Amino acid sequence: EVIAITYSTVAINKIAELDAVLSEGVAQFIGNYHLLPWLGTNIHFLLGLFGFGLLAISKPYFLYGRNAGNVVACWATAAMMFCVSIVNKGISMGHGTIDNTGARFSDNLFSLTIKYAHLVWSYAQRGPLAYVACVLLGLSIVPLKSVIDDVLEEQKAKEM
């Protein structure tokens, strides 16, 4: 959520501060001048919602045990899947092409996320802080894999 707020704040400031060539519409303006902040705001907002959903799933497991946790997990997963279907429908309207502008964003949430990741990596190549942030994100996969392996081993031990 913090990244979404940062992207949107900077984009709003740049729209107010900088002169821009007139565009045929908002979609073309975003596509030409603010694609990374627009994608970043949307992707990180949705990731924040999914993170909230994961918290909603995990809390009942810790407070009330497995049975209540399973019920809430089903509810939260259903809600998240419904949200993704709404987002995919919105993205795919017109197959991601804005009529008469040539602006094309994506077909679904997955391809939008891939496009965003590509734009972030391209942006990271131009400055050390963004590059280090991407490298640190990549390096976090190693300890994350270790945590997942430990959790899976604990579950196997409990089942035996």
Side-chain angles (χ1 to χ4, degrees):
E1 296 298 321
V2 173
I3 295 173
I5 293 167
T6 304
Y7 269 133
S8 61
T9 301
V10 170
I12 289 169
N13 288 340
K14 292 299 117 191
I15 289 170
E17 295 169 357
L18 300 176
D19 292 332
V21 178
L22 289 178
S23 301
E24 291 183 29
V26 175
Q28 186 179 37
F29 178 76
I30 289 171
N32 290 341
Y33 302 104
H34 299 285
L35 187 56
L36 180 60
W38 181 82
L39 287 174
T41 300
N42 282 285
I43 295 297
H44 286 283
F45 176 75
L46 291 170
L47 289 176
L49 287 178
F50 297 150
F52 176 74
L54 291 174
L55 288 174
I57 290 169
S58 63
K59 186 173 182 177
Y61 273 104
F62 294 123
L63 292 177
Y64 306 112
R66 187 176 186 173
N67 290 338
N70 286 341
V71 171
V72 173
C74 288
W75 290 347
T77 302
M80 284 193 286
M81 291 177 75
F82 190 68
C83 288
V84 170
S85 74
I86 292 168
V87 170
N88 280 341
K89 179 66 175 173
I91 292 170
S92 70
M93 290 177 73
H95 294 81
T97 302
I98 310 304
D99 293 336
N100 301 323
T101 66
R104 179 170 176 77
F105 297 125
S106 186
D107 291 324
N108 57 48
L109 183 57
F110 180 75
S111 62
L112 193 68
T113 304
I114 296 299
K115 183 173 188 164
Y116 170 66
H118 176 72
L119 285 172
V120 166
W121 183 247
S122 297
Y123 173 77
Q125 303 300 311
R126 294 183 276 169
L129 291 176
Y131 183 78
V132 170
C134 287
V135 169
L136 288 173
L137 181 64
L139 290 175
S140 72
I141 293 171
V142 174
L144 177 63
K145 183 185 179 314
S146 178
V147 168
I148 292 171
D149 289 344
D150 290 346
V151 168
L152 293 175
E153 284 181 29
E154 286 178 18
Q155 285 180 344
K156 286 181 184 178
K158 286 180 183 178
E159 291 175 0
M160 291 184 171

